[in-house]
Amino acid sequence: MIIGVASSLAITAPETAPEFLLAVGLGAAGAAISDIDVETSNIHRNMGKAILLIIAAAVILGLDIFFKTGIVHKITRDNSILRIVAGCLLFIIVCAFGKEQPHRSFMHSFLALLLLDCVLGLV
């Protein structure tokens, strides 16, 4: 997860607090999501309940409200709610599929990278 966060920060080079929070949160989530296919990983056990996504959304909303960063406004400004919901649902579907695959197969492939990138691009 440290490597995922560090990579995210290095690639995005955030200049503001909201950009930093997004880079750290998404870097951590991206690092964890690739191990959804490992039965002993926390993300694998929690995927069925979508706990990770709910916690991440709650943290982002909480930070947005507390620090008045405008993250939620920025996300919804250029996208319709339907597009955001569709992106989130497709993200869960790709992760659910990856959860059932052997370790270091689908979730560690360029196809998964492309699919997750496209899905998150909807959001």
Side-chain angles (χ1 to χ4, degrees), residues 59-94:
V59 167
I60 289 171
L61 289 174
L63 290 172
D64 182 58
I65 291 167
F66 185 74
F67 291 111
K68 299 185 185 339
T69 60
I71 293 171
V72 174
H73 175 70
K74 187 178 270 188
I75 291 171
T76 58
R77 179 182 60 202
D78 297 328
N79 295 316
S80 70
I81 296 297
L82 180 60
R83 183 175 168 175
I84 293 169
V85 170
C88 291
L89 288 175
L90 289 170
F91 177 79
I92 292 170
I93 289 169
V94 170

Side-chain angles (χ1 to χ4, degrees), residues 12-24:
T12 61
E15 296 179 6
T16 65
E19 290 173 354
F20 179 80
L21 291 173
L22 281 173
V24 169

Side-chain angles (χ1 to χ4, degrees), residues 1-116:
M1 191 170 290
I2 291 170
I3 293 170
V5 170
S7 299
S8 177
L9 290 172
I11 291 169
T12 61
E15 296 179 6
T16 65
E19 290 173 354
F20 179 80
L21 291 173
L22 281 173
V24 169
L26 294 176
I33 208 72
S34 66
D35 281 335
I36 199 167
D37 53 9
V38 178
E39 291 184 19
T40 57
S41 71
N42 286 333
I43 191 146
H44 179 87
R45 288 192 298 265
N46 294 328
M47 179 56 194
K49 299 175 186 173
I51 290 174
L52 182 66
L53 294 174
I54 293 168
I55 291 171
V59 167
I60 289 171
L61 289 174
L63 290 172
D64 182 58
I65 291 167
F66 185 74
F67 291 111
K68 299 185 185 339
T69 60
I71 293 171
V72 174
H73 175 70
K74 187 178 270 188
I75 291 171
T76 58
R77 179 182 60 202
D78 297 328
N79 295 316
S80 70
I81 296 297
L82 180 60
R83 183 175 168 175
I84 293 169
V85 170
C88 291
L89 288 175
L90 289 170
F91 177 79
I92 292 170
I93 289 169
V94 170
C95 291
F97 174 77
K99 178 183 174 192
E100 301 305 320
Q101 303 308 307
H103 183 53
R104 298 201 192 276
S105 61
F106 175 72
M107 291 304 285
H108 290 263
S109 70
F110 285 114
L111 177 59
L113 176 67
L114 178 67
L115 287 173
L116 291 171

